[in-house]
Amino acid sequence: MGFKGNQYIWKDRKRYFGLPLSFTRYAMSDDRLFLSQGFLNIKDEEILLYRVRDLSLSRTLGQRLFGVGTIVVTSSDKSQPVLQIKNVKVPSDVKEMIHTQVEEMKVRRRVRINEVSTSNDDTFDDADLDDDSDDDSFGD
């Protein structure tokens, strides 16, 4: 994975019994969330932060005993719409860090979300997600 040479806000590994004993690695840069799995055969995934729609946190009793938890990231990404960041330490802080960075990227990319409310429920459609930028350059 391209974890080397890049600037990352956060990095961690999937943990067992509170120890980073796996080949599943997570990282976040200012605009993307990364997942790398494997030792011999490596699979890399990334999610653009402005595409994140929802974050949730779960902690089983065993996870609480070892100070870890699982963050579920739901996005509009086609290849990885749901990403589970499993068994990371201080999960509530990590979730808040991801949330803050997602909101910052949505402002930078000028992404507007218009939620349409009906009498029975709230609905969200892909057509309601507008990205005002035509390319990946930020004009900085």
Side-chain angles (χ1 to χ4, degrees), residues 113-134:
I113 298 177
N114 302 319
E115 294 189 54
V116 178
S117 181
T118 63
S119 60
N120 296 336
D121 63 293
D122 290 336
T123 59
F124 184 85
D125 192 340
D126 282 339
D128 294 332
L129 181 64
D130 296 327
D131 180 4
D132 288 342
S133 63
D134 292 331

Side-chain angles (χ1 to χ4, degrees), residues 105-112 130-133 138:
M105 283 310 302
K106 285 182 179 184
V107 168
R108 282 180 65 189
R109 300 272 313 205
R110 292 185 221 117
V111 175
R112 292 187 312 266
D130 296 327
D131 180 4
D132 288 342
S133 63
F138 295 115

Side-chain angles (χ1 to χ4, degrees), residues 44-104:
D44 292 334
E45 287 285 341
E46 66 181 57
I47 294 176
L48 295 169
L49 290 176
Y50 77 91
R51 292 181 180 234
V52 172
R53 291 192 175 173
D54 189 41
L55 296 169
S56 64
L57 172 63
S58 65
R59 293 179 302 249
T60 64
L61 176 61
Q63 287 177 318
R64 290 194 330 256
L65 289 173
F66 290 106
V68 298
T70 298
I71 302 163
V72 179
V73 179
T74 306
S75 73
S76 60
D77 187 77
K78 299 294 182 204
S79 65
Q80 186 85 24
V82 176
L83 171 66
Q84 289 190 1
I85 303 173
K86 296 180 182 179
N87 295 341
V88 292
K89 61 183 177 179
V90 289
S92 57
D93 291 348
V94 173
K95 180 182 169 268
E96 284 304 310
M97 185 185 319
I98 293 170
H99 171 72
T100 301
Q101 201 61 32
V102 164
E103 293 303 316
E104 183 178 314

